[in-house]
C-alpha cells in the first residue's frame, strides 16, 4: 500500500472520531497492539531523546523495505509509535525520507495533544527518517 493511501486511511479514522477523549482511547488501543519489549530492545541507541516519556524505535531492512518496531513506557506515546509504524513500515526508505508530516496536522494532533507530546511526534518522525536515510545507503551501495 502506498504512503498516500495509508495517510488517507489514517486521516479518515481520526476524522470519524469526534472528541479528543476518544482519540486518546484510540491511540491507547493502537499502543496495546505493540508487545512490550525486552530490556535488550530498550537500548540507548533506540531511545528517542527529548521525549517526555521514554520511546524506543528500531528499523530493519528487508527486501529493500524498512520495517519499524517500537516500545514506550507510557500509553499515549506507545499508541503514537504504533500509528507511525502503521504509516511507514514496509515502505522503501526513500519514500520515507521525502515524505512530509502534514498528516499530523490534518489529523489534528496539534489540537488535542499537549505541545510536549506533539514535539515527541516530531522527534519520533525525525528518528524514522534518520533510520531511512541510513538504510537507503545500504541499498544504493
Amino acid at each position: 500500500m502506498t504512503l498516500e493511501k495509508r495517510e488517507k486511511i489514517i486521516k479518515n479514522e481520526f476524522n470519524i472520531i469526534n472528541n479528543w477523549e476518544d482519540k486518546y482511547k484510540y491511540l491507547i488501543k493502537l499502543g496495546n497492539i505493540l508487545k512490550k519489549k525486552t530490556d535488550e530492545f530498550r537500548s540507548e541507541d533506540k531511545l528517542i531523546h527529548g521525549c517526555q516519556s521514554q520511546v524506543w524505535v528500531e528499523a530493519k531492512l528487508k527486501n529493500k523495505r524498512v520495517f519499524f518496531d517500537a516500545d514506550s513506557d507510557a500509553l499515549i506515546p506507545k499508541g503514537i509509535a504504533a500509528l507511525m509504524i502503521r504509516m511507514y513500515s514496509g515502505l522503501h526508505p526513500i519514500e520515507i525520507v521525502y515524505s512530509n508530516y502534514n498528516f499530523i496536522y490534518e489529523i489534528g494532533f496539534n489540537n488535542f495533544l499537549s505541545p510536549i507530546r506533539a514535539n515527541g511526534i516530531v522527534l519520533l518522525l525525525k528518528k524514522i527518517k534518520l533510520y531511512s536515510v541510513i538504510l537507503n545507503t545500504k541499498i544504493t551501495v
Side-chain angles (χ1 to χ4, degrees):
M1 181 182 314
T2 66
L3 181 60
E4 292 78 21
K5 284 184 182 179
R6 293 174 190 207
E7 285 181 2
K8 186 176 182 178
I9 290 168
I10 290 170
K11 284 190 278 189
N12 286 339
E13 288 172 359
F14 275 87
N15 286 335
I16 291 170
I17 304 169
N18 294 321
N19 63 59
W20 63 268
E21 226 176 284
D22 289 339
K23 290 181 189 210
Y24 278 125
K25 288 178 186 174
Y26 184 63
L27 285 173
I28 291 168
K29 181 180 172 184
L30 290 175
N32 287 332
I33 294 169
L34 294 178
K35 293 180 182 174
K36 184 177 179 178
K37 305 298 186 281
T38 64
D39 287 340
E40 184 179 309
F41 180 92
R42 292 177 164 204
S43 61
E44 182 69 23
D45 62 317
K46 295 177 184 125
L47 185 64
I48 298 175
H49 297 280
C51 287
Q52 181 180 12
S53 304
Q54 291 186 306
V55 179
W56 299 268
V57 65
E58 77 169 359
K60 293 183 180 179
L61 190 64
K62 212 190 293 185
N63 298 323
K64 298 184 179 181
R65 304 273 176 189
V66 184
F67 293 88
F68 297 96
D69 201 1
D71 197 11
S72 179
D73 63 351
L75 294 172
I76 300 296
K78 191 169 182 174
I80 292 168
L83 185 67
M84 296 306 140
I85 288 171
R86 232 177 101 201
M87 178 69 80
Y88 294 109
S89 272
L91 295 176
H92 191 279
I94 206 72
E95 285 180 89
I96 299 166
V97 171
Y98 288 108
S99 67
N100 62 48
Y101 307 148
N102 292 343
F103 75 96
I104 292 172
Y105 304 104
E106 293 169 7
I107 289 173
F109 274 0
N110 54 325
N111 295 327
F112 77 91
L113 291 177
S114 70
I116 293 170
R117 291 229 193 272
N119 183 57
I121 293 173
V122 172
L123 294 171
L124 173 60
L125 287 169
K126 284 183 178 184
K127 183 94 169 182
I128 285 171
K129 283 195 176 206
L130 176 63
Y131 276 133
S132 299
V133 168
I134 293 167
L135 293 174
N136 189 59
T137 61
K138 292 183 178 187
I139 293 172
T140 57
V141 175

